[in-house]
Amino acid sequence: MNSKQDGTVSSKGELTVLGGGIVGLCCAIAAQKQGFKVSLLDKDEPGRGASFGNAGHFATEQMFPLASFSLVPRLPGMLLDPQGPFRIRPGYFFKALPWFCRFMANMLPAKRRKNGAAIAALNREAIGAMRRLLAQAEASELMCENGSLLLFERDEKAARQEFEAYTKASVAVKLLSGDEVRRLEPSLSGNIKAALFFTEVAHTPSPFELCKHLELHFKALGGQVLRAEIDKLQPDKQGVRLGDSQGQSWHCDRLLLCCGAWSKPLAQQLGHEVPLDTERGYHLMMPQVSGLSRPVASFERKFIITPMRGGTRLAGTVEFGGLEAPMDPSRADCLLPHAQALLPKVFSSASAEQGERWMGFRPSLPDSLPILGASLKQKGVWFAFGHQHLGLTWAAITAELLASEFDGDEPALSLHPYRIDRF
């Protein structure tokens, strides 16, 4: 399906990338540069899914797996609070239960250490990989390397404990007093007692614009973008036959599956069972200019504020509710009171109706690691999905690692911890 107009193909053959989010875009570019003729397929415009509405934070400070015993005493209250940062829709509880059982198993110290090492390995290379990619795409201005802040409003002791944990994990971080925080970001509330300043992280002022630049770069390299809602994959000896919702079908020699939250049933058709579930993430995009020069997260409130072109993005609430349930606007609206507390001069008179509510689907696995690498059952098939909260962060390094595999080389970083058969 990737033949050139003159009937020839590229020197290395054809590759189909299924999924047009930030991960798929980065992987398509990397494969095209490797000499493959690449087609990128998605049911929507590239960059319109979870990649559109993320917090814009290249969060390489997030070294710790989400599964932690410290969550256990807080979990019931978090899940039952309809406006809390983390929620399961009542009707989805039993469907999500197997995922949560696996999640809790990953709290065991040995598994947590192993998963943390695999997260750290990707994080160490992530900023450099994205920096290289955006330089090639002439879009370096879409990654601002100003660091980020984690604020503490109540407990300076907690700030010191978190500082020690991050320092032990080799994260570049400084412990700031409340006055030092306000000198760095004068618009912040006087109630801030302390903060962690992560000095080697970054953010983008426009996640969607970043995706559009990458799409244009991919096309300039000779790649093609196609719109199709693929819901059937049929492997055979020559590759994989793709079928769409309209009854059309195509054959591809090589396939990369990176459909995010929609990857589970497609992987199943290729013979792989994966414990993927969906975190429904919300944001509220406000027109007010925050005055911030970097992302600011709250330790107590569990949300993040990111300065962006055209306003300020408030993000952070998560719910488990599957792919079909409608958006709950209150999950976006509840972010505004938190922003009013941290930036009172900016948002004191703001209302949620002034903002734009959004919901997207994060593909999450219980060990906080993505699935990367080749299928063990079907030659010419690779996977890149399950990046949970770090799709933007890990997109470019994912692409570099998989590009080596496409060529039959050993990646610079072993993909063994991320293999699809690890569960």
Side-chain angles (χ1 to χ4, degrees):
M1 62 186 295
N2 301 316
S3 298
K4 294 180 179 178
Q5 290 182 352
D6 62 4
T8 65
V9 295
S10 65
S11 59
K12 294 184 179 179
E14 304 174 346
L15 173 71
T16 299
V17 176
L18 190 54
I22 183 69
V23 173
L25 283 164
C26 291
C27 290
I29 290 168
Q32 189 74 24
K33 288 178 180 176
Q34 289 284 85
F36 293 93
K37 181 62 178 174
V38 183
S39 293
L40 179 69
L41 273 71
D42 198 286
K43 62 183 179 181
D44 205 343
E45 178 184 9
R48 278 291 178 187
S51 300
F52 176 86
N54 62 58
H57 183 201
F58 296 94
T60 53
E61 83 284 3
Q62 294 186 16
M63 291 285 194
F64 308 117
L66 297 178
S68 168
F69 280 122
S70 65
L71 278 177
V72 174
R74 293 183 285 142
L75 205 55
M78 292 170 68
L79 298 179
L80 293 173
D81 181 0
Q83 301 304 318
F86 185 71
R87 179 190 181 220
I88 300 180
R89 286 199 171 208
Y92 198 75
F93 177 81
F94 289 105
K95 189 168 184 180
L97 193 57
W99 189 95
F100 275 96
C101 289
R102 288 178 176 268
F103 180 76
M104 294 186 73
N106 278 282
M107 294 179 181
L108 296 172
K111 288 189 176 183
R112 185 169 166 78
R113 285 193 297 272
K114 182 179 177 181
N115 295 338
I119 291 171
L122 292 174
N123 280 354
R124 280 193 292 269
E125 307 299 327
I127 295 290
M130 184 59 75
R131 188 188 296 127
R132 291 188 289 273
L133 177 57
L134 294 182
Q136 294 162 3
E138 299 182 352
S140 295
E141 75 280 2
L142 289 171
M143 186 169 73
C144 306
E145 298 188 52
N146 297 333
S148 70
L149 292 170
L150 178 61
L151 307 180
F152 295 78
E153 297 173 77
R154 294 193 296 268
D155 194 345
E156 294 179 67
K157 181 180 178 181
R160 287 191 295 272
Q161 290 173 339
E162 291 294 310
F163 172 73
E164 291 169 2
Y166 281 107
T167 300
K168 186 177 180 180
S170 300
V171 175
V173 60
K174 296 178 180 179
L175 178 60
L176 305 181
S177 67
D179 289 339
E180 288 173 322
V181 173
R182 283 178 287 278
R183 283 197 289 272
L184 197 63
E185 297 289 359
S187 58
L188 285 172
S189 163
N191 294 328
I192 307 302
K193 298 291 191 298
L196 301 188
F197 180 23
F198 300 105
T199 57
E200 295 181 5
V201 306
H203 75 279
T204 178
S206 178
F208 184 59
E209 191 175 343
L210 187 151
C211 288
K212 296 312 292 180
H213 270 76
L214 293 179
E215 180 188 357
L216 291 173
H217 182 51
F218 171 60
K219 290 177 177 178
L221 293 170
Q224 61 176 336
V225 176
L226 303 173
R227 292 280 289 272
E229 185 173 359
I230 302 299
D231 56 10
K232 296 180 181 64
L233 300 180
Q234 179 62 51
D236 58 37
K237 292 182 180 179
Q238 285 74 45
V240 179
R241 180 159 292 279
L242 313 181
D244 72 3
S245 57
Q246 305 300 313
Q248 300 182 83
S249 66
W250 304 267
H251 185 271
C252 62
D253 299 327
R254 300 174 185 84
L255 174 70
L256 172 63
L257 175 60
C258 45
C259 291
W262 287 266
S263 298
K264 180 176 180 176
L266 296 173
Q268 189 176 42
Q269 292 179 43
L270 296 171
H272 295 279
E273 296 287 343
V274 292
L276 184 76
D277 213 318
T278 304
E279 291 184 48
R280 296 150 56 91
Y282 287 81
H283 84 219
L284 184 64
M285 187 70 193
M286 299 297 293
Q288 289 84 356
V289 176
S290 67
L292 299 172
S293 57
R294 53 185 58 80
V296 169
S298 168
F299 179 77
E300 291 92 356
R301 299 172 185 274
K302 309 300 180 190
F303 91 120
I304 186 169
I305 304 171
T306 306
M308 291 195 175
R309 293 178 182 174
T312 303
R313 182 161 295 179
L314 315 179
T317 56
V318 166
E319 69 176 353
F320 278 75
L323 296 169
E324 303 298 330
M327 173 195 234
D328 178 356
S330 69
R331 299 290 295 160
D333 294 356
C334 70
L335 295 164
L336 182 56
H338 296 307
Q340 290 170 327
L342 296 183
L343 295 168
K345 294 179 181 178
V346 177
F347 292 111
S348 60
S349 61
S351 70
E353 298 304 320
Q354 294 174 318
E356 295 181 5
R357 304 176 181 97
W358 175 91
M359 182 193 71
F361 303 98
R362 294 190 188 102
S364 292
L365 291 152
D367 58 3
S368 297
L369 300 178
I371 289 173
L372 307 177
S375 168
L376 303 178
K377 299 185 177 183
Q378 180 68 24
K379 185 178 180 181
V381 172
W382 292 268
F383 303 102
F385 63 85
H387 292 66
Q388 39 102 12
H389 296 253
L390 297 173
L392 177 67
T393 304
W394 288 340
I397 186 59
T398 290
E400 288 189 358
L401 295 171
L402 287 180
S404 298
E405 281 224 334
F406 297 153
D407 243 359
D409 298 330
E410 283 292 323
L413 173 66
S414 171
L415 297 183
H416 183 76
Y418 321 104
R419 67 194 187 281
I420 195 166
D421 69 329
R422 68 182 186 265
F423 300 102

